[in-house]
């Protein structure tokens, strides 16, 4: 699969673009590349690309996540179907219709792109039934986030009934056309108010919009075609994952006759006793003695999986930050690692021996004579 282009680059807008700039850019490109207007072979793919970019950048939450994680992290959280499921193209509907474009942006173009219409749309004479998505939470340590891990989870979801194979009907039985709606899944009702008569179309209450009813319901699932079961699965967690990211496990959600839903596992990384994570970098505070800060020298610094050497220049002040390159977290799906940022905190001894007090007093007196400490 080709690497995705940056969404801002696709629309030709800067990263700090306003909502109006993003809309104007999409409007211009949509008019240029809509396949009903542009017959070039690459127009359809180009139109899908700009529409996906707009769907993300026009949504404040998705845009913030994309800005933080880039394609590598964002694509872990959202599939193309997730991106378009809540996208709002209503501002452009009049434009598409005025130019005679078929079906607005979500016509046959996106139907073929994502394996048919959106979930829950009508097709083939009945309402298409896809299983619902499920969610689960998983907590891991910072070390597991750094190395990657395989974790086990148990959860409950519906699967096709083993006895009837998901049909909902007893063996030897099947479905027949609903006599109430004639197979349309809808019924028309009328009511009169004075001289006027009103008609409304509603979902058929007998077949619930299916257009067909089961002759003999399965005794195991009572005609639903599904049973609830516990599932034990392994979840592969990639190295570098950040807290709050979601892993999408396809087809592990609820059962549906036209396809199961997905399972979204949200990863939470526990706080570490010593290290604080900021993006791909780790931060660490360590105490530094007065003498080491004044004289300088090498010290040993703990890393996530060992230790490293850090040189302290003479005269280092408290809260100075040093960088140990490549000792941070792996960069998710990008290669390389972040850095370890070490903040040194000057440690003042609480108890001194007589000799130490004498030496420090001599140091202080010497400093005052040479004006090293200023005048207060």
């Amino acid at each position: 699969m080709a690497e995705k282009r940056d969404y801002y680059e696709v629309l030709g807008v800067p990263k700090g673009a306003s909502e109006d700039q993003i809309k104007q850019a999409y409007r211009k490109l949509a008019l240029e590349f809509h396949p009903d207007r542009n017959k070039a072979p690459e127009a359809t793919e180009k139109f899908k690309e700009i529409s996906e970019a707009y769907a993300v950048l026009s949504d404040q939450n998705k845009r913030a996540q994309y800005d933080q994680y880039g394609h590598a992290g964002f694509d872990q959280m959202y599939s193309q179907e997730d991106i378009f499921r809540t996208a709002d193209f209503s501002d452009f509907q009049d434009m598409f219709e005025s130019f005679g474009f078929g079906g607005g942006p979500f016509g046959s173009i996106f139907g073929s792109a994502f394996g048919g219409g959106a979930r829950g749309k009508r097709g083939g004479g009945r309402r298409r039934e896809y299983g619902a998505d499920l969610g689960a939470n998983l907590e891991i340590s910072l070390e597991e986030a750094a190395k990657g891990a395989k974790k086990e989870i148990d959860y409950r979801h519906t699967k096709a009934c083993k006895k009837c194979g998901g049909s909902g009907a007893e063996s030897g039985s099947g479905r027949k056309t609903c006599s109430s709606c004639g197979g349309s899944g809808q019924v028309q009702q009328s009511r009169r108010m004075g001289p006027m008569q009103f008609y409304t179309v509603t979902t058929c209450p007998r077949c619930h919009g299916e257009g067909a009813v089961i002759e003999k319901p399965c005794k195991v699932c009572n005609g639903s075609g599904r049973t609830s079961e516990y599932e034990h699965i392994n979840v592969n967690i990639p190295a570098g994952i950040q807290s709050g990211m979601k892993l999408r496990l396809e087809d592990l959600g609820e059962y549906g006759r036209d396809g199961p839903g997905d399972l979204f596992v949200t990863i939470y990384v526990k706080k570490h006793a010593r290290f604080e994570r900021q993006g791909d970098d780790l931060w660490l505070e360590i105490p530094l003695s007065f003498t080491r800060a004044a004289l300088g020298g090498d010290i040993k610094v703990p890393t996530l999986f060992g230790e490293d050497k850090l040189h302290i220049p003479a005269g280092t002040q408290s809260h100075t930050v040093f960088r140990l390159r490549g000792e941070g977290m792996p960069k998710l799906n990008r290669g390389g690692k972040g850095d370890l940022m070490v903040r040194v905190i000057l440690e003042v001894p609480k108890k001194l021996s007589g000799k130490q007090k004498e030496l420090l007093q001599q140091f202080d007196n010497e400093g005052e004579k040479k004006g090293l400490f200023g005048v207060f």
Side-chain angles (χ1 to χ4, degrees):
M1 182 182 293
E3 184 176 345
K4 284 186 178 180
R5 287 202 298 154
D6 179 78
Y7 286 141
Y8 293 98
E9 178 187 340
V10 169
L11 293 183
V13 296
K15 193 166 185 178
S18 65
E19 291 183 20
D20 286 340
Q21 286 177 303
I22 291 171
K23 285 183 180 180
Q24 290 171 10
Y26 177 71
R27 184 184 298 274
K28 178 182 177 181
L29 292 169
L31 286 171
E32 181 180 353
F33 290 104
H34 195 292
D36 285 356
R37 189 181 197 187
N38 189 329
K39 301 303 180 183
E42 68 276 9
T44 297
E45 291 304 317
K46 184 70 176 178
F47 183 73
K48 293 174 188 174
E49 184 184 39
I50 62 175
S51 296
E52 180 179 329
Y54 176 78
V56 173
L57 299 184
S58 62
D59 184 304
Q60 290 186 356
N61 291 332
K62 288 187 175 70
R63 182 177 179 179
Q65 291 171 322
Y66 176 73
D67 288 344
Q68 182 176 359
Y69 302 121
H71 271 303
F74 186 82
D75 293 345
Q76 291 278 342
M77 295 184 276
Y78 296 97
S79 65
Q80 279 190 316
E81 186 179 69
D82 299 326
I83 290 172
F84 283 100
R85 184 180 292 147
T86 56
D88 183 6
F89 286 83
S90 59
D91 289 339
F92 308 102
Q93 194 64 38
D94 292 341
M95 175 190 74
F96 285 113
E97 291 177 355
S98 67
F99 281 87
F101 294 166
F106 290 105
S108 59
I109 298 168
F110 290 102
S112 61
F114 308 123
R119 292 185 177 190
K121 299 297 182 185
R122 286 195 170 275
R126 67 173 177 85
R127 185 178 181 84
R128 300 196 47 92
E129 182 191 335
Y130 291 94
D133 294 334
L134 293 176
N137 298 330
L138 193 56
E139 190 175 58
I140 63 174
S141 67
L142 186 62
E143 288 83 357
E144 289 173 323
K147 283 187 173 182
K150 180 179 286 188
K151 306 288 282 188
E152 297 179 344
I153 62 172
D154 294 296
Y155 73 107
R156 193 178 188 92
H157 70 137
T158 54
K159 302 178 77 171
C161 174
K162 294 178 181 177
K163 186 172 189 298
C164 66
S167 70
E170 277 288 324
S171 178
S173 177
R175 291 174 176 263
K176 63 180 181 180
T177 301
C178 176
S179 58
S180 297
C181 64
S184 69
Q186 298 176 329
V187 292
Q188 180 176 281
Q189 298 176 331
S190 64
R191 59 191 179 93
R192 182 176 293 277
M193 293 182 65
M196 302 184 67
Q197 190 166 5
F198 297 88
Y199 294 91
T200 57
V201 177
T202 60
T203 300
C204 176
R206 183 163 184 256
C207 67
H208 305 290
E210 294 292 323
V213 292
I214 297 172
E215 294 178 298
K216 294 181 180 179
C218 171
K219 294 178 181 178
V220 174
C221 64
N222 295 319
S224 68
R226 68 197 72 192
T227 55
S228 181
E229 298 181 20
Y230 276 104
E231 192 86 34
H232 179 84
I233 62 171
N234 291 316
V235 180
N236 291 314
I237 300 171
I241 196 166
Q242 300 199 36
S243 194
M245 284 186 172
K246 294 181 179 180
L247 299 176
R248 178 172 178 254
L249 305 182
E250 293 185 0
D251 300 339
L252 292 180
E254 301 282 31
Y255 168 75
R257 277 189 292 150
D258 295 298
D262 300 325
L263 174 64
F264 289 86
V265 181
T266 304
I267 303 298
Y268 293 98
V269 182
K270 292 183 286 189
K271 287 187 176 181
H272 197 278
R274 174 170 282 178
F275 299 97
E276 179 184 342
R277 182 177 185 176
Q278 294 184 15
D280 296 322
D281 294 334
L282 293 176
W283 283 75
L284 171 69
E285 288 189 351
I286 60 171
L288 187 68
S289 69
F290 167 77
T291 53
R292 181 62 66 203
L295 299 175
D298 292 337
I299 63 172
K300 290 183 178 180
V301 174
T303 62
L304 194 56
F305 296 110
E307 62 180 24
D308 202 349
K309 184 172 68 174
L310 175 65
H311 179 71
I312 303 295
T316 293
Q317 301 298 303
S318 185
H319 290 77
T320 299
V321 176
F322 297 92
R323 182 189 297 270
L324 290 176
R325 297 193 178 278
E327 291 292 349
M329 299 293 289
K331 297 179 180 180
L332 182 65
N333 296 335
R334 289 177 288 161
K337 289 185 176 183
D339 302 325
L340 175 60
M341 312 300 292
V342 182
R343 181 185 287 113
V344 295
I345 308 296
L346 196 62
E347 188 176 57
V348 178
K350 296 180 180 179
K351 293 182 179 181
L352 296 171
S353 67
K355 183 63 174 177
Q356 288 172 324
K357 290 179 181 179
E358 181 182 344
L359 292 172
L360 284 175
Q361 189 62 57
Q362 291 177 9
F363 173 81
D364 190 54
N365 293 339
E366 184 71 16
E368 287 183 357
K369 289 178 182 179
K370 293 185 177 183
L372 298 179
F373 305 137
V375 179
F376 297 94

